[in-house]
Amino acid sequence: MLLSDLATEIIIPVCAVVGIAFSLVQWLLVSRVKLSPDRCASSPATNKNGYNDYLIEEEEGINDHNVVSKCAEIQSAISEGATSFLFTEYQYVGVFMVAFAILIFLFLGSVDGFSTKSRPCTYNLDKMCKPAIGTAIFSTVSFLLGAITSVLSGFLGMKIATYANARTTLEARKGVGKAFITAFRSGAVMGFLLAANGLLVLYITINLFKLYYGDDWEGLFESITGYGLGGSSMALFGRVGGGIYTKAADVGADLVGKVERNIPEDDPRNPAVIADNVGDNVGDIAGMGSDLFGSFAESSCAALVVASISSFGIDHQFTPMMYPLLVSSVGIIVCVITTLFATDFFEIKSVKEIEPALKKQLIISTILMTVGVAIISWIALPSSFTIFNFGAQKVVKNWQLFLCVSVGLWAGLIIGFVTEYYTSNAYSPVQDVADSCRTGAATNVIFGLALGYKSVIIPIFAIAISIFVSFSFAAMYGVAMAALGMLSTIATGLAIDAYGPISDNAGGIAEMAGMSHRIRERTDALDAAGNTTAAIGKGFAIGSAALVSLALFGAFVSHAEISTVDVLTPKVFIGLIVGAMLPYWFSAMTMKSVGSAALKMVEEVRRQFNTIPGLMEGHAKPDYATCVKISTDASIKEMIPPGALVMLTPLIVGTLFGVETLSGVLAGSLVSGVQIAISASNTGGAWDNAKKYIEAGASEHARSLGPKGSDPHKAAVIGDTIGDPLKDTSGPSLNILIKLMAVESLVFAPFFATHGGLLFKIIKV
């Protein structure tokens, strides 16, 4: 190996610090846009044409103090709503976190009857390893660390987004390019903070745990798996709670505002409008942040666990052992360079350039990352080594591992582009869905569902090929590295993803502050591109979740000492069929929660329109706070049952039916969950953009379908409303379901292997 252990110990934290520093620089650049109505109401004068900008604004009468202060006022209302919701959510989640931490300690401690004596290692019986109680304590600590990092990632993301939304609106007065850069930079702040924090905390945790574990790397990396579990369990509540919040408000606002009262989206007369904009931040930003952090933590943990029982771990080679973290470190540097392409090297001048600029981000980061991975694989890995493969050691070359990471990386890009093809209104699938609105909502729904099911085909082939290639080369370690490859450009992926809700909010603020039609057109263009990128982000999240959960499944099977998972045995098959049912049960819970919360919201919005005099004419102010409260209460109450379903299933199955049945459940939920997740999120995205296609009226075909308020437009709004819980609640939460059950099974594997299968032991199957 060309890279020394000392160099590795320096490179990983330095790359993480570079990521954090870069995000702070982007934040400073965003904060230069002032929200106080002084002479420089917008960003400070640039030498090139700053003075002229100011004069143009004066002539157009845009530089109205009133507008700026209104924007500031709306922004603070959204920010307050989002913060108070997250604090309420975290109080409930905090209680769960402590309870679950105690559970981890009790379950893992009881493996060896809480004894403090050293025990023979599982994979090398001649050596002595640390006692099970050590693993119990350290798994609990890493669970809490993962949970806290996950919560922090989501919270910081939400803070940045609510800080940037009004600033994007104000920049839109100067042109679409300026607004794009503000929204994109804010997304980058979140992306880099999250990627760098996740890496840094994981790296520090490994080094601190090493002080206790010393040479026992097997025990060390087994206890690190708690980090992934903590990250994902918080993400589940963030995604489900945030998703219910945002969609209850969105559906309520759309049905009464657009369909019944014929007022535009984000009209300040609509009582649910603030709750709707708050929802974009708590669901799409805070939820997405925690979700991708969870994926990153778990794929790293899965790779480390398998490596610790391979030649890297047995021979105590620190640099190759840290290969997963080195890949993520290179990813941060690659994403820094990629981001500069969007913000500094090229300037966006027209609406048409927005989507290509975001697509270029994905392509540039993937190409650069391929080069980066090649270099790291060459300098950090020995030319040949062995990888643990279900009881045997498999000889692997370093170029094979490079191909494993690359295949995941490029599969991610393919999934991203297929998702874009099916959800962007620039292509025929969404235009066909829009066209079907001529004959009413029913045909729109049929076309949309068909599109969603069809959009599953290519991503599944991409995932299948990457699994086959990576597994053939390097067994389960290869699959874990393919997942990390897909997530290696997470900073750019998140920047593109967070850009969507920020632009959406910016449009809402422009409408509420009563800005001119032209500005609203600019923010709408940003938002339509944002919708597609959000769908691409969800595609990435689902694709990586499939690979991550397979890698975790492999690690679980190795740890639970199962040699083969035989589908023909009844124990496994019953698990398989029940596992495949779980995503449907989970989706049913989340969809119904959105439906019942939306019902309350619709009633409240109607009540206000009917009872507040002068509301429709714009003379009276609606009561926004009641709608915010309805969303908050509903989502907190409704997120608990789906969360409990996911968290308790592996515990109940593992304890009562044992590891074979549990392996069936994991396989079943993975196979059916991925399909439902992809189709749900693409169906919703397509309906949303079909509606936007009709509203924008950019082509002859689109103009023939509407103006806003026409019958085809109303049919499109109904489709969009049905798609809302699919694309923002059920779809994205499902990828957490499949990952979380797998990582939880892996953490509890020692307990299930020793004490599991109580029912079968009683009836002696």
Side-chain angles (χ1 to χ4, degrees), residues 61 88 668 692:
T88 315
K692 286 209 164 55

Side-chain angles (χ1 to χ4, degrees), residues 373-632:
V373 174
I375 296 168
I376 274 292
S377 305
W378 179 52
I379 62 172
L381 293 171
S383 58
S384 170
F385 44 90
T386 64
I387 292 291
F388 183 83
N389 178 22
F390 298 121
Q393 293 283 356
K394 180 184 171 86
V395 178
V396 181
K397 304 270 187 288
N398 56 3
W399 60 267
Q400 290 176 312
L401 215 45
F402 157 68
L403 286 177
C404 292
V405 180
S406 305
V407 82
L409 185 62
W410 286 91
L413 188 69
I414 291 168
I415 292 173
F417 280 150
V418 170
T419 309
E420 191 226 10
Y421 173 72
Y422 279 107
T423 55
S424 163
N425 53 27
Y427 303 104
S428 61
V430 171
Q431 291 173 7
D432 290 347
V433 172
D435 192 62
S436 71
C437 295
R438 289 175 194 282
T439 47
T443 40
N444 177 27
V445 170
I446 294 168
F447 269 71
L449 286 171
L451 175 144
Y453 296 146
K454 197 174 164 193
S455 70
V456 175
I457 302 167
I458 299 171
I460 290 296
F461 276 118
I463 292 170
I465 291 166
S466 46
I467 288 171
F468 183 77
V469 171
S470 53
F471 193 90
S472 307
F473 281 147
M476 277 301 174
Y477 186 67
V479 179
M481 287 318 301
L484 255 184
M486 204 179 271
L487 290 164
S488 57
T489 51
I490 183 174
T492 296
L494 263 170
I496 292 174
D497 206 63
Y499 153 89
I502 292 171
S503 313
D504 192 354
N505 262 206
I509 291 173
E511 181 76 50
M512 285 187 271
M515 289 182 158
S516 71
H517 178 62
R518 229 185 42 211
I519 291 172
R520 181 72 218 216
E521 267 175 12
R522 287 173 190 165
T523 56
D524 273 355
L526 289 173
D527 183 21
N531 251 349
T532 306
T533 57
I536 293 175
K538 285 173 192 136
F540 260 97
I542 296 163
S544 62
L547 292 176
V548 169
S549 40
L550 182 63
L552 290 165
F553 178 62
F556 161 71
V557 169
S558 307
H559 265 256
E561 297 159 40
I562 308 171
S563 47
T564 52
V565 177
D566 183 359
V567 183
L568 292 175
T569 54
K571 277 184 187 177
V572 176
F573 194 80
I574 57 168
L576 202 61
I577 201 159
V578 170
M581 172 275 297
L582 287 173
Y584 290 92
W585 188 359
F586 180 82
S587 300
M589 284 174 153
T590 48
M591 298 279 287
K592 191 161 182 293
S593 302
V594 172
S596 55
L599 202 69
K600 289 183 193 136
M601 189 65 81
V602 167
E603 283 165 359
E604 173 59 25
V605 176
R606 277 182 187 152
R607 184 194 68 77
Q608 293 200 23
F609 273 126
N610 293 333
T611 57
I612 298 177
L615 179 56
M616 228 11 228
E617 294 73 40
H619 303 317
K621 257 184 100 169
D623 173 12
Y624 297 128
T626 310
C627 290
V628 171
K629 188 173 177 344
I630 288 177
S631 256
T632 305

Side-chain angles (χ1 to χ4, degrees), residues 38 92 139 281 347 394 414 531 683 707:
D38 51 19
Y92 284 83
S139 293
N281 293 298
E347 199 179 342
K394 180 184 171 86
I414 291 168
N531 251 349
T683 296

Side-chain angles (χ1 to χ4, degrees), residues 23 89-90 285 299 352-353 399 430 438 451 529 584 633 650 721 728 742:
S23 69
E89 181 184 67
Y90 293 154
I285 300 252
S299 51
K352 284 199 295 292
E353 293 170 20
W399 60 267
V430 171
R438 289 175 194 282
L451 175 144
Y584 290 92
D633 293 349
T721 313
D728 288 322

Side-chain angles (χ1 to χ4, degrees), residues 304-349:
L304 291 167
V305 164
V306 180
S308 70
I309 50 181
S310 305
S311 63
F312 302 158
I314 296 165
D315 304 337
H316 293 101
Q317 298 169 311
F318 183 72
T319 300
M321 189 70 217
M322 289 293 121
Y323 179 68
L325 276 71
L326 285 165
V327 169
S328 304
S329 309
V330 175
I332 291 177
I333 304 302
V334 163
C335 292
V336 167
I337 301 165
T338 312
T339 303
L340 296 175
F341 276 95
T343 54
D344 297 85
F345 299 157
F346 300 108
E347 199 179 342
I348 285 186
K349 294 191 173 63

